[in-house]
Amino acid sequence: MSSEPDLTAEPEEHQHADDGGPQPEKHCGHGRGGMGEEVTRKEDKRFITGRGNYVDDIKKPGMLHCEIVRSPHAHARIEDIDGSRAMALDGVVAVLTADDLLEHDLATMPTLMDDTQDVLVNDKVKFQSQEVAAVIAEDRYTAKDAAEKVEVEYDVLEPVVDAEEALEDDAPLIRDELDDQEDNHIFDWETGDKEATQEVFDEAAVTVEEQMEYQRLHPAPIETCGAVADWDPGKDKMTVHMTSQAPHAHRTLFSQVSGIPEHKVRIVSPDVGGGFGNKVPIYPGYVVAAAASYVLEQPVKWIEERSENIQTTGFARDYDMTGEIAATEDGVIQGVKVDVLANHGAYNAAAQPSKFPAGFFNIFTGSYDVDAAYGSLTGAFTNTAPGGVAYRCSFRVTEAVYLIERMVKVLADELDVDPAEIRRRNFIPSDAFPYESATGWNYDSGDYEKALDKALEMADYEHYREEQQRRIAEDADKLIGIGISSFTEVVGAGPGKQCDIAGIEMFDSADLRVNPTGNAVLRIGVQTQGQGHETTFAQIVAEELGMDVDDITVEHGDTDTEPYGLGTYGSRSTPVAGAAAAVAARKVRDKAKSIAANELEAAEEDIEWDRESGEFHVAGAPDRSITITEIAAGAYMNSPGNEEPGLEAVNYYDPPEMTYPFGSYIVVVEVDRETGEVDFEKFVAVDDCGNRINPMIIEGQIHGGLAQGIGTAMLEHVTYDDNGNVTGGDFMNYLLPTANEIPNFETGHTVTPSPHHPIGAKGVGESPTVGSPPAIVNAVVDAMSHAGTSHVEMPMTPDTVWEELDEVGLSISPSENVSFEFDDGASEEPADD
Amino acid sequence: MEFEGEFELDGVPPEKAWIVLSDPMAVRDSLKGCQYITPMGEDFNFDEYEAKEDVEMLPEADPDTVADRAFVAGQKYAALMQVGVGSVKPRFETTVTIDDRDDEEFEMLASGGGDASGSSFSMNSGMRIHELDDGDGARIEWWTEADVSGRIAQLGSRVINPVANKIVNNFFGSIEKQMSDVDEETNSGVTDRLRNML
């Protein structure tokens, strides 16, 4: 008897759907909303009808408002803070400075990389807009007015915002409060085999090298960060509603920082309007709100403005990378080398597992079978906001994928081999899994060529190659470029022994309770910021117990009621907590079998579970069957003597390995030689995330991630001027893509289940953000590579592209023939306000 | 950021230009967005200070009054400025110190800075008045080096230059007009007093 279907094998229905490209998938969830069904999102009713409950929606009696006073300087010593003019305003309750926090031992807080960050600046400002003081007032407007009246005297110091300049001998020392810190160097990190790699490079027939910058980005979730802290002196309990992607880990950190016992701290992460990694770290605003509530014994709300979010909370990327490939004359890759300079900002506050100072960047051999690889990376402090969060990616995988997918294109151009063909020559073969990479990763499963073939077919690749040549031959005004990215990710951290955050192992959890009337509540350790957990996780339980998806409620985000978990980021919800949900459901199913035996008056060994019907029956007698609803009643009203009453199970799941989703994206662009503008002609995304739980949610995730990939490649950049002013720190200057910039996406999929995951799933939310930027850049480069272009830096704004067109002699109006008269605006009459 | 420039005033002798540019009231009236410029004591309070109305202005002003209020080297002045840059219109509470005044060479150096909601600036400025080669007029050379931080630099970086240029152009246009109004009698009276003060 086998109650456990082999989900690691590809189900027939999936194979069928696999052939159809973007067409809707045939359901395989037996009509109850299980695996593979396009169940409508349960959470959408409240979101669409305006009944979502975000942190700023929370109002408590007597609630005060917190506004943070921020430094206009990037590097300055604080001489004096005078809050008297602010206090003189009606409705101002308190002005807090570092001195006030010192009294409660809350002046500093640990970052996720074991650094210490000022909550309010104690001595020296280290980046623009850093938190200097806080005003607490009866309403938000008063708090804002009062914040402008706090007088801070600064001794302004020379700032350094560029990582390379920060490491020069004469650079100003940013972290002078640290005893052993004599320069702005944070750490060096190495991976792979340096000597073996060098040998390969020394003997290689062909080597290529390219330097590229992955610019500083911001996750820019639509909801900024915020908190409502409420200290209850009657219960000695601190409740904090906050925008958190990891409420349990934040509870532990809160307890450690504040000294309030952990069972007296409750973190609630209600509806959260996008996280993308931005809401993994703890920020000073949370701590200030909590400290103020503790001191004043009233609830205190703190909500960020947009510019505060972009300028001070966790940024992403900011890697200056040099990649090298050694290959045979046929384009078979033998070795990969990378060297990176990482700008970590004023504090080492990257959000990654403790043992991985460069995250999972050493996945940089990508989808390719490479014998030797070596990577080195140096981290530097600068007078910029701290960060290095995994913006919609698994810990620096975005940077690694960008590097290798760009480098493969550079190699293809060097050898004049088609970029699709060169990938084919280097893919890890599908029969080589499980595969250990040169940098030590154990890839679980993959079939890269299949995904590429499908993408090539969907993109009508040959047609566009011909069109490209035709345009070149005709000296057309608009050139065609075709970019490919065949990426592999590593997601779903732990295992706990390898991956921890602040020492806490990265397992995750699920607690499933079936009620007497046959419906169930699943509480999970991860938290959703819009991914659709309330639907997806219910589908896992529906599949495993034969229940209807509507009979399952998923709860998350409240540390008082949910089991401990490490949170949602790095595409880990489905690989880790999803596994926990499946295992908890199977534990319930095991117990249900005993109850079924009791109800059916048969031996337990003779009871079989039928996935198709979702029922238990006596072996050889399918008519003698019982549903989970009937079993639930039995568990509470007619419990067998050999079992405890009730029907519930908990699972804490420590994944044995990570999962390796992959895909092939093909982007066709048209580049205007006159203006440098780039238009998307075709955008194909084929993803393989293993077994699929809800194809509609997956497709939605991919659409959103591709939009963010376009923002990355074409628009977004957090920029600084030499004085350390953030000149790309608001939505006037930090450009997010709108519907205008987004083309039609054609999505497809293949299914290669993860062999070690209970339901064969891998995680998908981040694939499009990881996979699409190199495809887009490769496409723009491809449009100009016949003239000698090897790289174009992101964001590829029209002027950046035009400069490259001009450089390689493709611009229609070359700069040498044009005299530019830049108007400095002196004669204009700008508006006064 | 560095700004510099010069302009010529035909028919205005350097002494006359020096008087007008030494008068805080004349400067206030010429500087768009400037609410007041006033000597600043230890307990000066920007919130409480009320700018004096009905100030006597050149050319009608009593020469003694003008001489009394002229910029003094080493003195700190408070100035309230409200300038629109792009989408922001911060109210800058500015402190300016006259670092040096040379009544012979007609050179004045000043430094200062100011803060407004989330923005701050600091500057070092100077000006020097030369006699025109033909002897009939003055050439005024000026320079300033400014650092701007905070919101105004973030939001207004693309429009700071035109705004600064506009303020400067308006300033000298207005100063020129005031100088033309100052008659010879006033000129000599104030000049004598100023020279005596040295």
Side-chain angles (χ1 to χ4, degrees):
Chain A
M1 180 201 74
S2 165
S3 68
E4 207 63 65
D6 184 10
L7 270 168
T8 60
E10 198 168 315
E12 189 62 30
E13 290 84 352
H14 281 147
Q15 281 177 343
H16 174 83
D18 187 20
D19 299 328
Q23 76 193 28
E25 184 165 358
K26 188 181 172 189
H27 297 170
C28 60
H30 327 294
R32 292 183 295 273
M35 287 281 292
E37 287 196 49
E38 293 188 339
V39 176
T40 308
R41 290 184 5 140
K42 287 163 169 267
E43 41 275 87
D44 282 349
K45 183 177 178 188
R46 71 173 185 278
F47 292 150
I48 289 167
T49 57
R51 290 175 184 276
N53 188 36
Y54 299 88
V55 170
D56 203 14
D57 292 322
I58 290 161
K59 294 176 179 66
K60 297 198 172 193
M63 187 172 76
L64 301 170
H65 295 264
C66 171
E67 180 74 20
I68 304 229
V69 180
R70 297 178 182 279
S71 168
H73 305 290
H75 199 194
R77 217 167 280 285
I78 294 182
E79 307 270 296
D80 184 52
I81 302 177
D82 180 359
S84 58
R85 283 171 75 188
M87 284 299 292
L89 283 185
D90 280 348
V92 176
V93 178
V95 175
L96 300 176
T97 65
D99 287 343
D100 302 305
L101 297 181
L102 274 167
E103 283 178 31
H104 299 277
D105 214 14
L106 285 172
T108 59
M109 57 179 214
T111 71
L112 294 178
M113 288 308 273
D114 207 25
D115 196 355
T116 301
Q117 179 172 350
D118 285 352
V119 173
L120 295 174
V121 175
N122 188 24
D123 173 39
K124 197 174 82 167
V125 170
K126 299 182 184 75
F127 61 94
Q128 188 179 57
S129 299
Q130 191 174 359
E131 300 79 4
V132 168
V135 174
I136 314 296
E138 286 167 7
D139 66 87
R140 200 177 282 178
Y141 297 100
T142 305
K144 210 156 196 47
D145 287 344
E148 297 193 355
K149 297 220 176 269
V150 175
E151 291 175 322
V152 186
E153 211 177 294
Y154 296 97
D155 176 18
V156 180
L157 306 169
E158 184 196 346
V160 58
V161 296
D162 177 80
E164 200 173 337
E165 286 172 24
L167 294 180
E168 286 170 7
D169 289 342
D170 58 349
L173 177 61
I174 299 165
R175 299 298 299 277
D176 56 356
E177 85 281 13
L178 300 176
D179 289 340
D180 303 329
Q181 193 74 37
E182 285 166 7
D183 52 27
N184 297 317
H185 175 270
I186 312 176
F187 66 93
D188 290 314
W189 166 87
E190 276 186 313
T191 184
D193 189 329
K194 187 177 185 177
E195 282 172 22
T197 308
Q198 193 53 50
E199 265 174 43
V200 166
F201 271 80
D202 289 344
E203 288 166 17
V206 181
T207 61
V208 287
E209 178 179 336
E210 190 67 53
Q211 186 181 354
M212 61 196 79
E213 194 180 326
Y214 211 130
Q215 78 273 28
R216 180 174 288 220
L217 300 177
H218 197 279
I222 292 303
E223 182 199 23
T224 59
C225 297
V228 178
D230 188 3
W231 169 251
D232 181 342
K235 291 180 180 169
D236 291 329
K237 183 165 183 172
M238 178 68 82
T239 300
V240 187
H241 284 74
M242 60 186 263
T243 47
S244 171
Q245 290 181 238
H248 295 277
H250 284 167
R251 184 186 69 186
T252 302
L253 288 171
F254 246 101
S255 171
Q256 287 170 346
V257 170
S258 68
I260 301 169
E262 193 167 357
H263 68 295
K264 296 286 191 183
V265 179
R266 177 187 177 202
I267 305 290
V268 186
S269 185
D271 286 329
V272 173
F276 310 116
N278 183 236
K279 291 163 182 168
V280 174
I282 286 199
Y283 297 119
Y286 300 144
V287 181
V288 170
S293 177
Y294 184 82
V295 172
L296 301 167
E297 300 191 348
Q298 277 174 276
V300 175
K301 177 186 276 189
W302 164 71
I303 300 289
E304 263 175 358
E305 280 190 7
R306 172 62 54 194
S307 57
E308 294 178 295
N309 180 250
I310 300 181
Q311 292 173 21
T312 68
T313 64
F315 70 87
R317 328 293 190 237
D318 216 339
Y319 265 25
D320 187 355
M321 311 186 279
T322 302
E324 292 175 74
I325 284 183
T328 66
E329 280 170 356
D330 296 334
V332 174
I333 300 172
Q334 297 165 306
V336 177
K337 269 201 292 194
V338 298
D339 185 45
V340 181
L341 178 57
N343 184 338
H344 276 225
Y347 298 92
N348 193 18
Q352 35 217 11
S354 311
K355 298 183 185 76
F356 295 83
F360 301 163
F361 183 74
N362 52 349
I363 191 79
F364 64 72
T365 54
S367 306
Y368 310 104
D369 187 10
V370 179
D371 293 337
Y374 172 72
S376 58
L377 182 144
T378 296
F381 289 124
T382 60
N383 288 116
T384 62
V389 302
Y391 164 31
R392 205 168 185 165
C393 83
S394 183
F395 314 115
R396 302 292 189 183
V397 170
T398 317
E399 291 90 328
V401 164
Y402 182 68
L403 180 109
I404 187 66
E405 289 304 312
R406 279 294 299 116
M407 288 311 299
V408 168
K409 165 68 175 159
V410 171
L411 178 67
D413 287 345
E414 171 74 20
L415 297 172
D416 201 19
V417 177
D418 184 279
E421 174 56 27
I422 206 159
R423 285 177 165 81
R424 231 185 275 286
R425 288 180 196 172
N426 288 289
F427 279 145
I428 300 164
S430 59
D431 58 5
F433 294 92
Y435 170 87
E436 187 179 346
S437 79
T439 53
W441 293 104
N442 292 304
Y443 290 46
D444 58 349
S445 62
D447 193 344
Y448 303 144
E449 194 159 359
K450 188 172 168 189
L452 176 62
D453 285 343
K454 181 160 190 169
L456 291 170
E457 190 191 323
M458 284 171 66
D460 207 354
Y461 186 72
E462 292 307 327
H463 161 75
Y464 282 107
R465 280 281 171 231
E466 285 163 22
E467 177 66 12
Q468 179 180 43
Q469 292 309 315
R470 190 182 68 77
R471 301 248 186 134
I472 293 170
E474 290 176 1
D475 198 26
D477 290 355
K478 292 185 177 180
L479 296 166
I480 292 286
I482 307 156
I484 304 176
S485 162
S486 288
F487 64 94
T488 294
E489 278 198 283
V490 50
V491 310
K497 290 286 174 275
Q498 287 172 29
C499 301
D500 65 84
I501 284 210
I504 309 161
E505 295 180 5
M506 291 174 74
F507 56 84
D508 230 289
S509 60
D511 175 347
L512 177 63
R513 191 170 298 176
V514 182
N515 298 324
T517 51
N519 42 42
V521 175
L522 177 75
R523 299 194 167 97
I524 50 178
V526 294
Q527 192 279 346
T528 174
Q529 308 105 45
Q531 292 91 338
H533 288 182
E534 289 162 40
T535 310
T536 305
F537 280 77
Q539 288 186 255
I540 295 172
V541 173
E543 174 73 26
E544 296 297 332
L545 288 180
M547 294 175 73
D548 193 292
V549 70
D550 292 335
D551 290 337
I552 301 150
T553 295
V554 175
E555 292 183 356
H556 50 87
D558 186 337
T559 59
D560 264 10
T561 49
E562 266 73 81
Y564 201 103
L566 269 288
T568 295
Y569 41 83
S571 283
R572 64 186 299 281
S573 285
T574 296
V576 192
V583 173
R586 288 173 191 177
K587 283 187 181 177
V588 165
R589 205 166 68 204
D590 283 346
K591 182 170 180 183
K593 215 159 91 173
S594 162
I595 298 162
N598 190 48
E599 294 287 320
L600 294 171
E601 297 176 340
E604 197 177 328
E605 312 82 77
D606 292 338
I607 300 296
E608 286 181 353
W609 188 67
D610 178 10
R611 184 174 292 269
E612 192 63 36
S613 67
E615 292 178 348
F616 293 84
H617 60 78
V618 180
D623 291 348
R624 289 180 64 198
S625 65
I626 185 169
T627 64
I628 193 75
T629 304
E630 293 162 317
I631 290 170
Y636 292 90
M637 299 164 193
N638 183 29
S639 62
N642 61 339
E643 290 273 10
E644 290 175 27
L647 189 56
E648 58 182 87
V650 180
N651 179 247
Y652 280 70
Y653 189 84
D654 184 12
E657 280 289 347
M658 287 186 232
T659 58
Y660 295 74
F662 59 92
S664 270
Y665 293 172
I666 298 183
V667 175
V668 181
V669 296
E670 191 176 60
V671 175
D672 188 325
R673 292 170 56 199
E674 178 77 51
T675 63
E677 281 174 296
V678 175
D679 270 340
F680 293 100
E681 289 289 299
K682 195 111 183 146
F683 210 120
V684 170
V686 173
D687 275 283
D688 192 320
C689 58
N691 285 336
R692 291 148 53 92
I693 301 167
N694 185 323
M696 181 190 68
I697 288 180
I698 290 172
E699 194 175 6
Q701 290 264 352
I702 289 167
H703 280 208
L706 292 177
Q708 287 174 306
I710 288 172
T712 299
M714 309 303 292
L715 299 164
E716 300 177 35
H717 194 182
V718 181
T719 47
Y720 290 85
D721 71 12
D722 290 342
N723 282 344
N725 291 304
V726 197
T727 50
D730 53 77
F731 279 168
M732 282 164 65
N733 296 294
Y734 187 86
L735 305 178
L736 287 190
T738 66
N740 244 357
E741 285 81 26
I742 304 303
N744 185 44
F745 300 127
E746 294 169 44
T747 59
H749 66 277
T750 58
V751 175
T752 311
S754 171
H756 62 71
H757 189 275
I759 56 171
K762 287 188 171 186
V764 75
E766 303 170 335
S767 293
T769 329
V770 170
S772 60
I776 299 166
V777 177
N778 284 346
V780 173
V781 169
D782 192 63
M784 301 182 273
S785 56
H786 65 285
T789 293
S790 64
H791 183 61
V792 179
E793 292 281 24
M794 301 187 290
M796 299 184 296
T797 54
D799 58 317
T800 307
V801 176
W802 187 86
E803 276 177 22
E804 181 62 25
L805 285 164
D806 195 47
E807 177 75 28
V808 298
L810 286 173
S811 67
I812 287 177
S813 311
S815 56
E816 61 195 39
N817 299 339
V818 180
S819 77
F820 290 96
E821 281 181 25
F822 289 110
D823 185 353
D824 68 357
S827 60
E828 289 178 8
E829 287 286 310
D832 280 353
D833 45 30
Chain B
M1 282 180 299
E2 288 178 17
F3 305 94
E4 58 182 11
E6 58 176 36
F7 70 108
E8 290 180 4
L9 297 172
D10 289 328
V12 179
E15 291 82 2
K16 190 152 79 175
W18 181 243
I19 291 160
V20 176
L21 286 167
S22 297
D23 180 10
M25 293 305 158
V27 170
R28 180 201 69 180
D29 280 4
S30 302
L31 205 50
K32 194 174 160 56
C34 182
Q35 316 292 316
Y36 57 77
I37 300 177
T38 185
M40 186 177 182
E42 273 299 305
D43 47 3
F44 183 84
N45 187 317
F46 280 96
D47 282 347
E48 287 163 16
Y49 181 79
E50 282 175 28
K52 291 191 190 89
E53 303 289 332
D54 304 327
V55 180
E56 288 182 68
M57 297 298 296
L58 292 169
E60 292 83 14
D62 172 14
D64 286 347
T65 308
V66 176
D68 280 346
R69 72 192 188 201
F71 284 122
V72 176
Q75 173 69 47
K76 216 182 209 187
Y77 294 85
L80 188 67
M81 296 281 298
Q82 190 146 27
V83 191
V85 180
S87 60
V88 284
K89 191 169 187 178
R91 180 177 175 271
F92 275 102
E93 296 178 353
T94 306
T95 306
V96 181
T97 303
I98 304 298
D99 298 318
D100 193 27
R101 275 176 61 89
D102 186 334
D103 285 289
E104 301 299 326
E105 299 288 335
F106 301 131
E107 185 178 89
M108 182 154 64
L109 302 176
S111 61
D115 294 296
S117 51
S119 300
S120 111
F121 78 96
S122 64
M123 57 109 190
N124 275 296
S125 306
M127 61 152 215
R128 187 170 180 152
I129 306 172
H130 307 267
E131 188 168 17
L132 284 181
D133 292 342
D134 62 7
D136 186 24
R139 177 167 62 85
I140 298 167
E141 185 193 354
W142 62 272
W143 59 93
T144 191
E145 192 188 316
D147 274 332
V148 184
S149 297
R151 195 170 302 169
I152 198 166
Q154 295 166 352
L155 295 177
S157 56
R158 285 187 294 261
V159 284
I160 282 182
N161 271 317
V163 171
N165 277 314
K166 184 185 173 191
I167 291 172
V168 167
N169 287 335
N170 283 348
F171 176 75
F172 288 114
S174 169
I175 285 286
E176 186 174 1
K177 183 171 177 299
Q178 292 196 40
M179 287 176 184
S180 313
D181 292 344
V182 177
D183 64 29
E184 284 303 317
E185 195 181 331
T186 316
N187 178 12
S188 61
V190 182
T191 309
D192 291 347
R193 276 293 306 270
L194 286 171
R195 285 197 195 288
N196 290 341
M197 284 168 64
L198 287 171

